[in-house]
Amino acid sequence: MKQSLKNKSCLAFFAMISSCCHAATNTTTFNVTATVAANCSISANTLAFGAYNPLSAPTDSTTDITITCTNGSGYNVGLNAGTTAGGTVTNRLMANGANTLGYGLYQNSGRTINWGDTIGTDTVSGTGNGGAQTLTVYGRIPSAQYVPPGSYSDTITITATF
């Protein structure tokens, strides 16, 4: 019986100590921050006119530019004059050696709004939504250009300003 009473006394003592001697705590906070930078990525497909016949109507073709910009970021997409000497954004040229074939790049399907590289004048603007957006480039080779047969090409640089 003495052992049982002694055990009960010890248990009561430890219960009293644990109820009155809890561990102390303290809290604090920290801030979490991030800066989202405006950003855009662009890609494009080849604009292939195929066979050109100077005796027929103009030869038209299209290609797509895909632009993906940070949500809410405004952008302007410009197309330069190309790499063929003598070409401008309003009178582009494809070359085959010293021979050139004129063509145009446009913002609309009627091929009446030139697509150049001067912001506020002849670029295409938009606002990013975080997803891919497609811009169509409308190309035209005017008829009645009597150039030697062969493969003609040019390289256009696309610039996204954001």
Side-chain angles (χ1 to χ4, degrees):
M1 180 148 161
K2 281 190 174 190
Q3 184 66 23
S4 170
L5 184 58
K6 187 175 179 183
N7 284 343
K8 286 183 183 179
S9 296
C10 283
L11 288 173
F13 175 75
F14 285 118
M16 182 183 76
I17 289 176
S18 68
S19 67
C20 73
C21 302
H22 293 300
T25 62
N26 196 354
T27 62
T28 190
T29 61
F30 64 91
N31 294 324
V32 177
T33 65
T35 301
V36 177
N39 199 358
C40 292
S41 65
I42 53 175
S43 63
N45 298 313
T46 298
L47 175 62
F49 285 105
Y52 170 70
N53 180 351
L55 302 175
S56 68
T59 303
D60 293 341
S61 188
T62 63
T63 191
D64 291 328
I65 295 172
T66 302
I67 184 163
T68 305
C69 292
T70 311
N71 191 19
S73 295
Y75 63 80
N76 278 280
V77 176
L79 305 179
N80 78 345
T83 56
T84 301
T88 67
V89 295
T90 55
N91 295 301
R92 291 178 170 93
L93 298 172
M94 289 183 272
N96 176 1
N99 301 307
T100 59
L101 179 64
Y103 71 100
L105 300 177
Y106 304 93
Q107 300 176 29
N108 64 328
S109 61
R111 291 164 174 84
T112 59
I113 303 171
N114 185 63
W115 196 332
D117 59 1
T118 303
I119 294 173
T121 300
D122 57 6
T123 59
V124 172
S125 63
T127 301
N129 62 12
Q133 296 174 308
T134 302
L135 307 174
T136 301
V137 180
Y138 300 90
R140 172 170 282 168
I141 302 173
S143 59
Q145 295 186 69
Y146 302 102
V147 297
S151 295
Y152 290 76
S153 65
D154 191 21
T155 302
I156 297 294
T157 299
I158 305 165
T159 302
T161 304
F162 50 93

